[in-house]
Amino acid sequence: MYRKILITTDGSAVSSKTACAGVQFAEQLGAEVLVLFVAPEYQYPIYVEIIPPSYPSEDEYRAAMQRAGQEHTQDVVASCARRNIRCEAITAFHESAALKIVEVAQHSGCDLIFIGSHGRSGWGQLLLGSVTNKVLHNSKIPVLVHRLIKEPGSK
């Protein structure tokens, strides 16, 4: 049914649980995995006239974000390796994570985007702005939303 699944991660606990579920789903289907971490573009500080010496250069920032992306995707890559699932990890840069997710999925030949949801609704979803909702709105390929179920007694 699906041959290549894009799984997103931002390093949070929610995205880690979603990624784990995505790998299990890919294993059931015999699909390969593309795991994606999207970092924001580098921004110069606009609130000061002179850039402080401690402020990272664009190259330093990009290198740090590449390392963060590798850290955030390594568990998915390792999980795929243990299950004999073909997997590739990508760190990309864009101001809109949702738009980059859709772009990478289309350009990489993915036929499904597997993404998590915090399960917020109402004002919480409206005020926070949902990457998942933006992916759903912009994607021309199917999107499977993995919603975490809260454990009784958890916040």
Side-chain angles (χ1 to χ4, degrees), residues 28-105:
Q28 291 171 356
L29 297 176
E32 65 182 271
V33 169
L34 175 63
V35 60
L36 173 66
F37 171 75
V38 180
E41 291 284 0
Y42 179 78
Q43 300 233 341
Y44 291 99
I46 57 172
Y47 51 88
V48 294
E49 290 181 24
I50 299 172
I51 297 176
S54 62
Y55 200 79
S57 70
E58 185 170 359
D59 289 341
E60 291 169 332
Y61 170 80
R62 290 183 77 79
M65 289 297 100
Q66 287 287 353
R67 284 191 302 275
Q70 187 175 9
E71 288 173 18
H72 295 324
T73 60
Q74 72 184 358
D75 287 343
V76 177
V77 172
S79 180
C80 286
R82 284 191 300 275
R83 299 166 187 255
N84 280 339
I85 298 171
R86 192 166 155 207
C87 181
E88 178 186 1
I90 295 176
T91 297
F93 294 85
H94 201 278
E95 282 311 309
S96 170
L99 293 178
K100 193 63 176 180
I101 290 166
V102 171
E103 177 187 315
V104 168

Side-chain angles (χ1 to χ4, degrees), residues 10 15 46 51 67-68 73 91 101 108 110-111 118 125-126 129 144:
D10 63 9
S15 72
I46 57 172
I51 297 176
R67 284 191 302 275
T73 60
T91 297
I101 290 166
S108 300
C110 296
D111 37 28
H118 292 273
Q125 186 179 39
L126 181 66
L144 193 153

